[in-house]
Amino acid sequence: MSALRRILRDPVATLGLLLVLFAALVAIFAPWLAPYPDDAFDSHLLQRLKPPSAEFPFGTDNLGRDILSRVILGTRSAITVAVSVVGVSMLIGVPVGLWAGWRDGWASESLMRVTDVFLAVPQLILALALGQLMAPGLFTAMVALSLTYWPFFARTVHAETRRLRTALFVDALAGIGASTPRILLAHVLPNAAPAILVRATIGMGFTILTAALLGFLGVGAAPPSPDWGLAVSEARQHLPEAWWFPTFPGLAILFLVLGFNLLGDGLRDAADPRLRRSRH
């Protein structure tokens, strides 16, 4: 609760929280909020590329589909991808970081060197390479992003475990005979949780942006999926006349990524006051 109060006292972090909560509500109630949910996947060539109006507030795309409905439905897809990718990355990276941070020796060093190799290659390039090996689609994008994001969690948890393993409470637990799994899971991991939460929040924003870019490049979501990156890609050949076609999906990407980044900064400041932004 104290961390939440710190976030709410920070206007920038509060804005990020509101953006994320708004997007989450839109994703949950997307089928009921979309004006034309049943027609968002069908072609309506007689109404293609209509500008924003009372009937179509965001206009229509090259196949006559309501852009507002597709943006709303795309919110659920974007958040699903972000949560899935970050969740799988945590399942891989957190145990690797815990084990490598607690142990010494060649096995621990080898794991962290593998992690460094993944971190040295730009995530987008690695995701594109993995995506090319599999059939294009949303699942492909999720697998590629999961396999390229886990090293960030491994490195974060490794650093926290290294810091905590020399703490007095860890020595006391070892002195009373507590097992290593108990120390790691019941004491070290909860103390590392704030850093993991910050990494997860920022990672969701980065994952949404990267997934949209994969869709834009044809490796991610495939038609007729209401993917924001795919919509921007399809709109290129209709610019500048149909300006509304890429604008609203692009703004959706901008605001959701911005929300996660601002919230992540706020969580970081709340978790570690030493990193708090200076105020004038």
Side-chain angles (χ1 to χ4, degrees):
M1 292 302 294
S2 60
L4 180 60
R5 283 195 295 269
R6 290 196 192 104
I7 291 175
L8 294 178
R9 284 199 296 264
D10 185 344
V12 176
T14 301
L15 175 60
L17 178 61
L18 292 176
L19 288 172
V20 171
L21 289 178
F22 176 75
L25 290 174
V26 170
I28 293 171
F29 299 105
W32 296 275
L33 294 175
Y36 306 99
D38 298 329
D39 297 332
F41 301 92
D42 301 327
S43 299
H44 306 279
L45 298 181
L46 294 179
Q47 58 191 32
R48 64 189 301 270
L49 297 178
K50 286 190 174 182
S53 62
E55 184 180 5
F56 303 108
F58 286 4
T60 61
D61 63 10
N62 59 323
L63 296 178
R65 299 169 299 194
D66 178 45
I67 294 177
L68 175 58
S69 296
R70 291 180 63 79
V71 167
I72 291 174
L73 295 172
T75 306
R76 173 176 289 187
S77 175
I79 292 182
T80 299
V81 170
V83 171
S84 300
V85 168
V86 170
V88 172
S89 299
M90 289 174 62
L91 289 176
I92 300 173
V94 170
V96 169
L98 275 175
W99 191 85
W102 185 260
R103 298 290 186 184
D104 290 315
W106 66 269
S108 172
E109 287 298 318
S110 298
L111 273 177
M112 296 318 297
R113 296 297 76 78
V114 171
T115 301
D116 290 339
V117 169
F118 274 92
L119 290 173
V121 181
Q123 187 188 17
L124 177 62
I125 303 300
L126 198 55
L128 280 173
L130 292 172
Q132 292 294 336
L133 298 176
M134 299 178 283
L138 193 60
F139 180 75
T140 295
M142 292 168 62
V143 171
L145 291 173
S146 299
L147 292 178
T148 55
Y149 200 71
W150 69 265
F152 292 92
F153 284 102
R155 176 56 68 186
T156 299
V157 176
H158 176 267
E160 289 294 308
T161 304
R162 285 284 181 181
R163 179 180 65 85
L164 292 168
R165 74 174 189 170
T166 58
L168 291 176
F169 76 91
V170 172
D171 292 336
L173 288 167
I176 63 174
S179 63
T180 297
R182 179 184 173 185
I183 294 174
L184 287 175
L185 298 178
H187 300 279
V188 174
L189 185 58
N191 279 279
I196 297 173
L197 181 60
V198 171
R199 168 57 63 186
T201 305
I202 296 176
M204 286 188 183
F206 188 73
T207 297
I208 290 170
L209 182 60
T210 309
L213 189 52
L214 291 177
F216 180 84
L217 296 174
V219 180
S225 174
D227 181 76
W228 296 338
L230 181 62
V232 175
S233 177
E234 292 174 341
R236 287 179 297 173
Q237 58 185 325
H238 303 287
L239 291 174
E241 291 80 11
W243 58 267
W244 59 88
F245 191 175
T247 297
F248 294 108
L251 287 175
I253 297 171
L254 170 64
F255 285 122
L256 188 51
V257 173
L258 179 65
F260 275 114
N261 285 344
L262 295 179
L263 179 58
D265 286 343
L267 289 173
R268 179 201 60 192
D269 296 344
D272 191 346
R274 294 172 299 176
L275 299 177
R276 193 165 301 159
R277 292 181 294 272
S278 61
R279 292 172 173 82
H280 303 283

